[in-house]
Amino acid sequence: MESLTTAADPLAGYERTRSVLFASPRGTLLTRGRSTIAGGELATLADRLPALLGRSGGPAAGAISFDGTAHLLIPTESAWSAPLPAAAPPVPSGRWWRRQTPAPAAYLRAVRLALAELEAGNLDKVVLARTLELRSDEPISLRHLLRPLLGHGYSFATPLPGGSTLAGASPELLVARHGRQVLSNPLAGSAERSADPAEDSRRAAALLESAKDLHEHRLVVEAVTERLSRYCDSLEVPKAPQLTSTATMWHLSTKITGTLRDPATSVLTLAAALHPTPAVCGTPQAAARRVIGELEAVERGFYSGLAGWCDAAGDGEWAVAIRCCEVHEHTVRLFAGAGIVAGSVPERELAETTSKFRTVLDALGAGTDALD
């Protein structure tokens, strides 16, 4: 077994059931260990974690579900390496058996019902998700899936209860803390990229001027700002969003920075205050959760939760678990969601979720024919 500290390739020391891999623009973390924090609530982790880490100091790493349940590994070994280079090309794969839940027509009906809730004044935004399940006769190579994802935004692979793995490449940082410095980078408002450069530029410009998408983005930024202001002496919040992109999507992005009032405040305390934001749930939160429970035909689990790490000092990074999948031996379950606000068009929201599936589909080498 190769040592974590000497492996030039982070995946060389990766073990599916015992490792967490988390790569961000700051660096790449790889841990190995068997001790887990399972079932603990996010709100209690900040107080419990230093004692659980003991002398090692961590970092603990793993995932937190949409509902706030933690599944973290306490490492026996951990190593940092430099930020990863550009992702490797995918390994072409064969045919997949596939199933969409809900079916596209059912998702359209759910979006229309959500719009009726908005028109009735019951809420301002709700996010509705759907899944795409792929099954192969051959065992799925997690390393083949991960290599094309690494180097994109916040990429991760972490064990889940029951033996599956959460893997993905998220463009969205919920919160990071390094000393007293805090960063959050909410995304909301999206447009599919185009292979034609002129059309791609047109879509980007249209997104930046879209009243519907700017409204959706503002709801998220206001919520994040209000919650972080409880812990920060000062916050820097740009007046207008910027464009950011992945290989498949354009997003409206706002980077919010701040300085902690109390230097003892853990990144997990901040994550508990922020999660879930309107970007993955909606607003008001209670009403959005109700509508999700009534209209969403999937069990989210760790999708739209968090993936990341925290050390004994309270430093850490937590990305929103989007553009991700659950990987089993022969199946991969992809997730994608869209924010429904006044002015949303059901067919466009369905198309947006289809585009968001492409991050994992491309990494699998499955191609868009998986949606045929």
Side-chain angles (χ1 to χ4, degrees):
M1 180 173 66
E2 188 163 4
S3 168
L4 292 180
T5 57
T6 61
D9 175 3
L11 285 179
Y14 173 81
E15 295 182 18
R16 183 170 184 159
T17 61
R18 300 182 59 221
S19 292
V20 175
L21 178 68
F22 184 84
S24 79
R26 291 181 64 95
T28 305
L29 171 67
L30 178 63
T31 74
R32 183 188 293 145
R34 288 192 181 277
S35 177
T36 60
I37 304 172
E41 292 295 324
L42 174 57
T44 70
L45 277 178
D47 294 331
R48 297 167 53 209
L49 192 60
L52 292 168
L53 288 171
R55 293 182 180 180
S56 73
I64 295 165
S65 73
F66 175 67
D67 290 332
T69 301
H71 190 79
L72 309 184
L73 268 66
I74 304 297
T76 54
E77 298 177 83
S78 62
W80 286 95
S81 56
L84 292 167
V91 175
S93 61
R95 297 292 298 176
W96 297 83
W97 173 91
R98 53 205 179 273
R99 178 178 64 186
Q100 300 181 63
T101 305
Y107 186 80
L108 291 173
R109 286 194 296 271
V111 173
R112 293 186 185 104
L113 290 170
L115 285 168
E117 292 274 359
L118 269 73
E119 291 168 5
N122 297 329
L123 73 167
D124 297 314
K125 176 183 177 179
V126 64
V127 177
L128 295 180
R130 67 189 189 106
T131 67
L132 172 65
E133 184 177 325
L134 303 180
R135 187 175 70 201
S136 172
D137 290 335
E138 298 295 324
I140 294 164
S141 169
L142 192 57
R143 294 190 184 195
H144 285 169
L145 168 62
L146 287 174
R147 287 193 187 280
L149 295 176
L150 297 176
H152 285 301
Y154 300 86
S155 46
F156 51 86
T158 178
L160 294 180
S164 62
T165 302
L166 180 72
S170 173
E172 185 168 5
L173 177 69
L174 179 74
V175 65
R177 194 208 90 156
H178 300 282
R180 293 184 64 191
Q181 301 309 302
V182 174
L183 171 64
S184 181
N185 187 193
L187 307 181
S190 306
E192 183 182 8
R193 306 256 345 234
S194 171
D196 176 73
E199 174 61 16
D200 195 47
S201 296
R202 188 199 67 77
R203 292 181 184 182
L207 177 62
L208 203 53
E209 297 177 357
S210 165
K212 174 260 184 188
D213 289 288
L214 288 168
H215 169 65
E216 180 182 349
H217 189 79
R218 185 170 62 253
L219 293 174
V220 181
V221 171
E222 288 175 351
V224 171
T225 301
E226 188 277 326
R227 296 173 197 176
L228 283 181
S229 67
R230 305 171 195 172
Y231 299 94
C232 292
D233 277 332
S234 61
L235 283 175
E236 294 291 332
V237 185
K239 293 182 179 180
Q242 302 293 314
L243 286 170
T244 190
S245 65
T246 67
T248 60
M249 302 293 295
W250 286 105
H251 296 286
L252 295 179
S253 165
T254 295
K255 290 187 176 181
I256 300 171
T257 57
T259 303
L260 286 175
R261 185 175 299 115
D262 179 356
T265 302
S266 168
V267 70
L268 287 169
T269 300
L270 301 174
L274 292 171
H275 178 67
T277 73
V280 295
C281 180
T283 187
Q285 188 178 110
R289 281 185 175 274
R290 174 186 63 80
V291 172
I292 288 170
E294 293 174 356
L295 300 182
E296 206 169 73
V298 301
E299 178 62 42
R300 289 196 182 190
F302 287 82
Y303 163 69
S304 68
L306 309 175
W309 62 273
C310 178
D311 65 18
D315 284 343
E317 299 173 290
W318 290 93
V320 183
I322 55 177
R323 310 299 189 275
C324 64
C325 61
E326 288 181 5
V327 185
H328 301 260
E329 184 177 3
H330 289 275
T331 63
V332 184
R333 190 175 185 226
L334 291 69
F335 298 84
I340 314 303
V341 297
S344 290
V345 177
E347 290 76 12
R348 291 179 182 174
E349 304 303 335
L350 176 67
E352 180 177 319
T353 60
T354 300
S355 298
K356 290 174 177 176
F357 283 141
R358 285 179 51 203
T359 296
V360 175
L361 286 175
D362 289 349
L364 286 167
T368 55
D369 63 340
L371 292 169
D372 292 343

